[in-house]
Amino acid sequence: MYASILFSTLVLTRLLSGVAGKDLAASLSPGQRAALYPAYTYVPSIDADWKPDPHASEFWYEHIAHNGISPFITNGSEWKVFRNVKDYGAKGDGVTDDTAAIQAAVSDGGRGGNSLGTTGAPAVIYFPSGTYLMSSSVQSYVDTFFIGNPIDRPTLKASADFAHPMLLYMKDPRFGETINFYIGVKNLILDSTAFPANSPFTLMDYSVSQATQLTNVAFRMPPSSQHTGLATPEGGSGTYMGDLEFSGGLIGINMNNQQYSIKDCSFSGVSTAVMISHGFDLVFQGFNFSNCEVGINATLGGVGNVGSVTLIDSVAESVQVVIDTKSQIVGNTTTGDASIVIDNLETKNVESTVVAGGKTILTGGVPKTWVYGNAYLPGGPVSGVHNAGVTYQTSRSPQLVAGGKYFTMAPPTYQEYSIDQVVNIKSVKDFPVYGDGQTDDTHNINAILARNSGCAITFFPAGTYLVSDTIIVPPGSRIIGEALSAISAVGSKFSDANSPKAMIQVGSPGETGIAQISDMLFTVADVLPGCILVQVNMAGTSPGDVGFWNSHFRIGGAAGSAVQTKCQTGIPCKAAFMLLHLTATSSAYIEDMWGWTADHDLDGNNNQLISTGRGALVESQLGTWLIGTAFEHHTLYQYNFVSASNVLVSMQQSETPYWQGIGGPAQAPAPWTPSDSFSDPTFSHCGTDDPNCRMAWYQRIVSGSNMYIYGSGFWTFFNNVGDCKGVNGTCQDNANEIVGSPTGLFWWNVNTRGCLNVLVDNGVVVQTQNNNPGSWGAVVAATLTYSGLLGRVRRWIG
């Protein structure tokens, strides 16, 4: 058979070489045609099927069917989520004043009133490519997402006669800055170059908190001007922003916020790239400073104004001072305030790398890790040592690195795909999916995801998709939501805490491939003590193949969940077993994730007395990247790393449950029973009645290897939602623990509030608030006792 086919092919080749202008296939004999054209059943993968879009300006999201809804308000099925500003009269021609049209798109439907709560009025304000001239400010609200065409980013341009000092107010004035949730700005250019350079002007007020995303935005200001790109004047409790560009102006980012992960930003010709008006736990990763006077200014304010600053994988060229900070020497004592960690900094034509209290303490680049602050070393003193500028010869796991830096990845937009490669999950014939918060969508979601695997991107329009059984996300999946589309568990299959079940299962153990999830929210529709909201089992063949971007968790605290009304008094109700489980066979890149058990009601005035058992359990050994994450108010722990290997954490933030502590209704592990299968803490180190000891761990590290943690912000505010009644006015006895003997553990800039003990090592207190005053209570710049560095490792100043 093989010889016959080969012969026919040779004959055909010779035949075709002498034929022109004919239908070549028609000239074949039936046997030749059968040999050359057997039945074709191959279905290509999504990558193999890709071809450039001949219409480069057409972004699939602009043209797909927009049938998102708001399920839990009156006439929510008619609510308009997607709002193209051109449908409201905007021209985008650079000449017409589009301010009123943009504001109309934001405010349509009575948004801005208080009747729809925080989650009832989702809106995507979409900007097609163009230049939108503005003569006055636009006011935004919670649950609002400004999105531009990423193929050709639209420009919002302040006119020369602009009437206010601010282009965009993204903070909702109806709510405090620490409860401004669910806000996004991406794929835009903000431009103040036409506004007078000598007049103060700010492009964006971004005084917001968790579950917010600011990405792929350029801030363009006149050179040598008095303009600021981004400011957070009212504060907030943020998590993440990244992939930003700043050019010109007086200040790029004026930061006044509790904590932030800020990633992959460039500053060109900005006088001061980052001005820290206030911040406790700030991690700057992948920064590029060029032609700036100062990279980071941390000199403002008094004691406790700046906790820690971490600078990772950055470059400074033609900069006078990279970091200008306060001195940690106060009289004859030292303080942890303004602790500085620099890890991998390249410099060229830089006068001073670090200036502290007006004195240069570091020049040149930092190929390894440089520390200014309190450090704990193998065999070191119980009180730690103060590093007044010390370089450590650190190392990194190659599994976490790309091109000499930690791997990072911008949120995918899928702009390279055409609209026929994206499937609206609510528009699939014969597989109806509703997202109405009432219909069980489980079967058809699973069917569509299986069919789209390797073949199409799955788009979830805004809504709440009820599921009564596990949703399987197979290899080859790309999922993207809209205004944080929600998947919500319901039903008896998630009710047994002794046999918990995943609501979302990403792959199976041993599987590899692509599974990417963006702009989604995971929640429960009822009290479900056996629900693991997301479990990741698979790994990618390359970093970022398996990943989550701008995807969050919420337990209670909002319309659409019975937890909002069922969990108000008595013993805290067991609403969910665990939020996130990264199993040993998984590898995941996670950027901008908030895992929240509600401490208050976003859409009403119901008391919230809720217990989620566990935050994030990480057992992965194949590579885990946690960039800008926050897990809050879970009963046993917020983060639990168990035999995990090859882990990068770049800014993490947590709070313990407000109802825990002295006078509270339950003491951990109650109301839960610890599970050996999930490596739960037992709190056996505490007395039977010891409420401030029996509070959730912020972070547990149980054995493991090659872990690199930069910037931890762990805040305890209450005992039983009231004043703190612990030792010396603290709220909690113990913040973090190490169990066993991890290897290659590098933990930088740990910040705590209200915690008597910062770290317990195998039952022994090794770090206390008293020995490390600073930040919001305590700050430890370097925890290196399990790093593998010798206690007397060679280190040097500057």
Side-chain angles (χ1 to χ4, degrees):
M1 177 67 179
Y2 173 78
S4 174
I5 294 174
L6 177 61
F7 175 78
S8 299
T9 303
L10 291 172
V11 171
L12 175 62
T13 301
R14 292 169 182 166
L15 176 65
L16 297 185
S17 66
V19 177
K22 296 183 179 180
D23 183 349
L24 302 182
S27 67
L28 301 175
S29 70
Q32 292 171 328
R33 187 178 296 109
L36 283 169
Y37 301 106
Y40 187 75
T41 58
Y42 169 68
V43 177
S45 73
I46 192 169
D47 291 316
D49 194 47
W50 180 83
K51 54 183 179 295
D53 187 342
H55 308 291
S57 64
E58 293 187 358
F59 179 35
W60 66 266
Y61 180 66
E62 186 171 333
H63 299 284
I64 201 166
H66 294 286
N67 50 1
I69 63 174
S70 180
F72 308 115
I73 64 171
T74 302
N75 298 320
S77 61
E78 300 174 10
W79 180 260
K80 182 182 288 188
V81 176
F82 178 81
R83 298 147 184 244
N84 188 323
V85 294
K86 289 194 171 181
D87 293 338
Y88 291 82
K91 301 298 182 184
D93 58 9
V95 177
T96 306
D97 184 352
D98 288 326
T99 309
I102 296 170
Q103 188 64 65
V106 172
S107 302
D108 188 18
R111 300 181 80 244
N114 289 315
S115 62
L116 300 177
T118 293
T119 71
V124 172
I125 313 304
Y126 182 75
F127 296 84
S129 299
T131 297
Y132 297 84
L133 189 67
M134 296 172 59
S135 62
S136 60
S137 305
V138 164
Q139 175 65 63
S140 188
Y141 307 110
V142 294
D143 221 4
T144 305
F145 305 84
F146 282 35
I147 300 178
N149 180 350
I151 298 170
D152 181 14
R153 288 182 297 180
T155 298
L156 277 58
K157 189 177 181 67
S159 64
D161 58 349
F162 198 88
H164 300 91
M166 186 78 65
L167 184 73
L168 296 179
Y169 287 98
M170 296 309 300
K171 177 190 175 294
D172 190 329
R174 302 171 301 166
F175 301 100
E177 63 279 357
T178 58
I179 55 173
N180 258 248
F181 305 140
Y182 311 126
I183 293 166
V185 182
K186 53 187 176 182
N187 314 328
L188 294 174
I189 298 170
L190 307 182
D191 188 333
S192 66
T193 56
F195 191 78
N198 292 329
S199 298
F201 188 80
T202 302
L203 284 165
M204 183 189 297
D205 178 343
Y206 202 64
S207 302
V208 300
S209 290
Q210 292 93 342
T212 57
Q213 184 188 43
L214 175 62
T215 185
N216 194 25
V217 176
F219 297 81
R220 296 181 179 170
M221 299 166 281
S224 304
S225 67
Q226 297 296 304
H227 296 191
T228 295
L230 168 69
T232 61
E234 296 174 75
S237 182
T239 305
Y240 167 84
M241 61 177 75
D243 301 283
L244 309 175
E245 310 156 38
F246 299 85
S247 57
L250 180 67
I251 300 171
I253 300 174
N254 192 334
M255 175 57 60
N256 173 30
N257 207 284
Q258 292 174 14
Q259 67 278 319
Y260 249 112
S261 164
I262 308 182
K263 173 192 116 298
D264 294 343
C265 296
S266 65
F267 302 86
S268 178
V270 186
S271 179
T272 297
V274 180
M275 177 70 74
I276 303 176
S277 299
H278 163 61
F280 293 124
D281 176 20
L282 302 174
V283 178
F284 306 127
Q285 181 175 2
F287 274 27
N288 192 314
F289 309 103
S290 63
N291 297 301
C292 301
E293 294 178 16
V294 178
I296 300 168
N297 187 332
T299 63
L300 298 183
V303 173
N305 192 58
V306 177
S308 69
V309 174
T310 308
L311 182 64
I312 310 170
D313 289 341
S314 296
V315 177
E317 181 173 356
S318 300
V319 175
Q320 293 179 21
V321 179
V322 180
I323 299 179
D324 192 2
T325 186
K326 298 186 288 291
S327 172
Q328 289 186 330
I329 307 301
V330 180
N332 294 320
T333 64
T334 59
T335 174
D337 252 3
S339 290
I340 307 294
V341 171
I342 301 175
D343 194 315
N344 187 23
L345 172 68
E346 299 178 26
T347 60
K348 181 180 180 180
N349 191 27
V350 170
E351 294 181 17
S352 298
T353 304
V354 177
V355 172
K359 178 183 177 181
T360 296
I361 61 172
L362 178 66
T363 59
V366 180
K368 296 296 184 177
T369 310
W370 182 90
V371 175
Y372 184 63
N374 296 337
Y376 286 79
L377 309 171
V382 172
S383 59
V385 296
H386 183 261
N387 289 170
V390 171
T391 297
Y392 292 94
Q393 297 301 296
T394 54
S395 60
R396 295 179 177 183
S397 167
Q399 288 184 254
L400 300 172
V401 174
K405 300 181 178 181
Y406 287 119
F407 172 80
T408 61
M409 181 174 171
T413 62
Y414 305 116
Q415 65 197 62
E416 65 271 34
Y417 296 99
S418 57
I419 191 171
D420 60 359
Q421 294 173 299
V422 182
V423 172
N424 181 324
I425 201 165
K426 292 177 66 174
S427 302
V428 179
K429 185 178 180 181
D430 300 326
F431 293 90
V433 171
Y434 297 92
D436 59 6
Q438 300 179 28
T439 306
D440 185 350
D441 287 324
T442 309
H443 179 271
N444 288 345
I445 289 177
N446 273 330
I448 294 168
L449 290 180
R451 190 174 79 166
N452 287 356
S453 172
C455 298
I457 297 160
T458 305
F459 169 59
F460 281 74
T464 296
Y465 298 80
L466 282 187
V467 297
S468 60
D469 205 345
T470 300
I471 296 298
I472 304 296
V473 178
S477 297
R478 291 169 169 87
I479 294 170
I480 189 165
E482 176 184 54
L484 299 178
S485 309
I487 297 179
S488 184
V490 68
S492 60
K493 291 185 177 181
F494 300 111
S495 64
D496 187 357
N498 294 316
S499 182
K501 188 179 183 67
M503 177 183 76
I504 305 291
Q505 178 184 313
V506 182
S508 297
E511 288 186 324
T512 59
I514 291 176
Q516 297 176 339
I517 298 175
S518 305
D519 303 338
M520 298 291 292
L521 186 138
F522 310 108
T523 186
V524 293
D526 207 342
V527 176
L528 300 175
C531 184
I532 299 172
L533 275 77
V534 174
Q535 183 180 77
V536 182
N537 298 304
M538 64 177 284
T541 56
S542 299
D545 282 355
V546 178
F548 295 78
W549 292 263
N550 190 38
S551 292
H552 309 284
F553 300 85
R554 183 177 67 226
I555 305 298
S561 174
V563 177
Q564 182 193 28
T565 54
K566 284 185 177 181
C567 303
Q568 297 193 59
T569 59
I571 300 299
C573 64
K574 298 193 290 185
F577 186 86
M578 180 189 297
L579 296 192
L580 176 66
H581 186 192
L582 304 181
T583 67
T585 59
S586 71
S587 175
Y589 178 90
I590 297 176
E591 180 179 285
D592 191 12
M593 176 175 281
W594 182 37
W596 186 56
T597 292
D599 59 274
H600 64 282
D601 190 351
L602 300 175
D603 297 325
N605 296 309
N606 299 291
N607 185 42
Q608 301 292 278
L609 192 60
I610 305 168
S611 176
T612 298
R614 303 140 188 91
L617 172 59
V618 180
E619 299 174 301
S620 171
Q621 301 180 7
L622 303 178
T624 299
W625 297 259
L626 303 178
I627 313 293
T629 62
F631 284 83
E632 297 188 306
H633 311 148
H634 314 304
T635 301
L636 302 183
Y637 59 77
Q638 314 312 312
Y639 295 86
N640 193 14
F641 294 94
V642 178
S643 300
S645 297
N646 306 304
V647 175
L648 169 67
V649 176
S650 185
M651 209 294 291
Q652 55 181 172
Q653 180 262 328
S654 295
E655 299 174 6
T656 45
Y658 291 175
W659 51 262
Q660 285 186 331
I662 294 172
Q667 299 182 34
W672 298 89
T673 300
S675 167
D676 290 339
S677 299
F678 290 91
S679 302
D680 286 342
T682 63
F683 298 88
S684 59
H685 63 288
C686 302
T688 302
D689 185 15
D690 193 355
N692 275 23
C693 180
R694 291 181 172 274
M695 294 180 69
W697 291 106
Y698 281 112
Q699 186 145 277
R700 303 181 74 236
I701 298 173
V702 182
S703 299
S705 61
N706 299 334
M707 298 184 64
Y708 312 89
I709 304 171
Y710 299 85
S712 303
F714 298 146
W715 321 131
T716 309
F717 298 105
F718 302 109
N719 284 160
N720 191 27
V721 203
D723 293 339
C724 295
K725 300 175 182 179
V727 178
N728 298 328
T730 57
C731 314
Q732 178 166 352
D733 286 356
N734 307 307
N736 308 293
E737 76 164 340
I738 292 174
V739 178
S741 299
T743 59
L745 170 61
F746 297 86
W747 196 348
W748 312 102
N749 279 338
V750 182
N751 299 258
T752 62
R753 182 198 186 281
C755 298
L756 181 67
N757 302 316
V758 176
L759 179 62
V760 177
D761 183 350
N762 287 289
V764 178
V765 174
V766 293
Q767 295 176 8
T768 65
Q769 175 177 272
N770 297 50
N771 278 327
N772 300 279
S775 188
W776 217 348
V779 56
V780 177
T783 299
L784 301 174
T785 46
Y786 290 96
S787 65
L789 299 177
L790 297 177
R792 296 183 180 275
V793 68
R794 183 185 177 207
R795 49 192 200 273
W796 57 90
I797 304 295

